[in-house]
Amino acid sequence: MRGIRKTLASQRQEPITLSTMSTTPIRVAVTGAAGQISYSLLFRIASGAMFGPEQPVILQMIEVPFEKPMKALEGVAMELEDCAFPLLKGMVVTGDAKIGFKDANWCLLVGAKPRGPGMERADLLKDNGKIFIEQGQIIDAVAADNARVAVVGNPANTNCMIAASQAKRLTPDRFTAMVRLDQNRAQAQLANKAGVDLTEVESIFIYGNHSPTMFPSFAHAKIGGKPAMEVITDTEWLKGPFCETVGKRGAAIIAARGASSAASAANALVDHVHDLMIPGKIHSVAVKSNGAYGFDPEVWAGMPVKTTAPGAYEVISGFEMCDFCKSKIASTNKELVEERDAVKSMLG
Ligand code: NAD
Ligand code: LMR
């Protein structure tokens, strides 16, 4: 096998595609590429899990331009090379976001500080929010015309709003934040409670913020084709411990592991992007609400979307909301509005 050409920031700006395959590689820019999540994510992307087994990719890996993370990133690139992934057609290793986002088709914004024990994700806003000002501007200036952005760095919804607010060329619908980890968590909790295989749980969607206020809408979920509330008749469990377990799962993982979720977060991002590339998929994504489900029109809120074309989607707006659902949505919306107010000075 011929080696993968790797591009360093100080050398060439363009990775070279060595393959003779006719399929054009998708350029995937990933920030925080030497971090925990990326250590799972990059290998999944390169193996074909995100874009499918026929789609070549070029990884454009971005870190902060300091010696330690850049050296660590060099090591990650060496390991990627050592995997001999047939779909990996090039790598860019850079501390310069202008190089890393150049011509990117997907921009995966993972790089940001994780929270520690006792913190809420919103406590990260002051430190992390500013990262997304510059990245939003650079992506708008140099990414591909069809660029899509997925934000993972916390607090993801509001960071996504900050990045999108900087863009003049790319429209707000190109910017999505990840609530798929919450959907996956909710699916697993419902399957455990009902004592069924995970695949029997469908249509469980996440509304609102990626925070404890999020609403995993059990009211519309199906288990084995039946309404979940007919299968799990313990409504108090659904309204209480279920919502709480899903909403606070991130903190539970930090308490158990001493570090925030990484492999499951990477897996959720694979799902997020994968399902946004496949028309017909219905899944939870945080998008600019435009007023759907009573959310403030300017906030990024989790809700069910249907992929309409690769990278494009429409909000599924038809789910009826009971009084309990409406009150949950109102409280997660309130938090999103408060976060937006707290970062007013960061919005473009
Ligand atoms: P980590 O500390 O292991 O890695 C973060 C990496 O980002 C570091 O290597 C750091 O150098 C890099 N970085 C920081 N600023 C950067 C910038 N401006 N450009 C490029 N790289 C930059 O953290 P992690 O565990 O990988 O988590 C990353 C983020 O994802 C955190 O904010 C975490 O809270 C969040 N997260 C979100 C979800 C979700 O469901 N939305 C799930 C898990 C974690
Ligand atoms: C998660 O949900 O696991 C992540 O957002 C990390 C965190 O801070 O909880």
Side-chain angles (χ1 to χ4, degrees):
M1 183 191 145
R2 299 168 76 187
I4 299 160
R5 291 294 296 269
K6 188 174 55 170
T7 313
L8 294 175
S10 55
Q11 299 167 356
R12 301 173 53 88
Q13 294 212 355
E14 291 298 309
I16 296 173
T17 303
L18 293 177
S19 163
T20 50
M21 280 182 69
S22 58
T23 315
T24 309
I26 291 183
R27 288 172 181 270
V28 191
V30 180
T31 67
Q36 284 202 93
I37 294 176
S38 291
Y39 194 65
S40 290
L41 176 68
L42 292 163
F43 297 84
R44 300 280 307 278
I45 299 171
S47 72
M50 187 174 270
F51 297 103
E54 307 289 329
Q55 177 59 57
V57 293
I58 292 172
L59 286 172
Q60 308 191 165
M61 297 175 281
I62 306 167
E63 255 300 338
V64 284
F66 301 126
E67 197 184 336
K68 205 170 159 205
M70 289 307 297
K71 199 153 177 264
L73 183 53
E74 276 294 325
V76 173
M78 285 159 68
E79 284 203 75
L80 280 160
E81 197 165 25
D82 293 348
C83 288
F85 288 121
L87 293 172
L88 184 57
K89 298 303 176 193
M91 291 192 275
V92 175
V93 171
T94 183
D96 182 345
K98 290 192 192 75
I99 294 172
F101 288 126
K102 181 97 179 73
D103 299 329
N105 306 107
W106 271 95
C107 304
L108 309 182
L109 308 190
V110 179
K113 231 165 126 170
R115 66 173 161 158
M119 293 171 76
E120 282 305 335
R121 298 180 187 95
D123 298 334
L124 296 167
L125 254 189
K126 204 165 142 274
D127 285 338
N128 284 348
K130 52 183 187 261
I131 295 174
F132 295 85
I133 302 175
E134 194 194 22
Q135 290 184 352
Q137 290 169 355
I138 296 175
I139 289 167
D140 198 48
V142 306
D145 280 342
N146 70 355
R148 262 70 185 170
V149 180
V151 177
V152 173
N154 276 320
N157 299 52
T158 298
N159 288 336
C160 187
M161 176 177 60
I162 293 170
S165 77
Q166 307 301 324
K168 301 198 165 45
R169 179 176 61 113
L170 301 175
T171 48
D173 58 294
R174 302 293 190 90
F175 292 78
T176 61
M178 187 172 94
V179 288
R180 182 59 178 262
L181 179 53
D182 311 302
Q183 178 184 310
N184 291 348
R185 287 168 172 168
Q187 184 180 0
Q189 292 298 320
L190 289 178
N192 284 346
K193 179 74 174 174
V196 300
D197 189 79
L198 191 85
T199 53
E200 298 209 23
V201 180
E202 291 174 306
S203 302
I204 174 72
F205 302 119
I206 304 297
Y207 291 81
N209 205 2
H210 174 60
S211 82
T213 68
M214 78 182 78
F215 177 43
S217 179
F218 55 83
H220 308 115
K222 296 261 166 67
I223 299 179
K226 292 191 196 145
M229 294 182 76
E230 280 178 20
V231 178
I232 299 172
T233 52
D234 184 353
T235 309
E236 289 317 302
W237 179 83
L238 288 166
K239 287 181 172 175
F242 168 66
C243 290
E244 194 159 316
T245 301
V246 177
K248 297 193 173 162
R249 187 69 163 185
I253 287 164
I254 291 169
R257 219 172 79 83
S260 73
S261 63
S264 58
N267 177 66
L269 185 56
V270 168
D271 289 344
H272 174 109
V273 175
H274 176 269
D275 284 2
L276 278 171
M277 293 299 282
I278 299 195
K281 288 277 183 190
I282 300 180
H283 49 124
S284 308
V285 180
V287 299
K288 185 172 185 223
S289 95
N290 294 320
Y293 291 103
F295 280 103
D296 182 291
E298 299 301 321
V299 299
W300 261 250
M303 51 186 78
V305 308
K306 181 176 185 178
T307 303
T308 51
Y313 55 86
E314 63 189 20
V315 170
I316 309 264
S317 56
F319 285 113
E320 286 267 327
M321 291 294 170
C322 63
D323 286 347
F324 176 78
C325 302
K326 283 183 190 155
S327 73
K328 294 294 281 181
I329 286 179
S331 94
T332 193
N333 180 57
K334 180 169 173 284
E335 184 183 47
L336 285 167
V337 169
E338 284 165 4
E339 285 186 15
R340 184 193 60 198
D341 290 346
V343 299
K344 249 189 189 128
S345 63
M346 298 187 197
L347 300 176

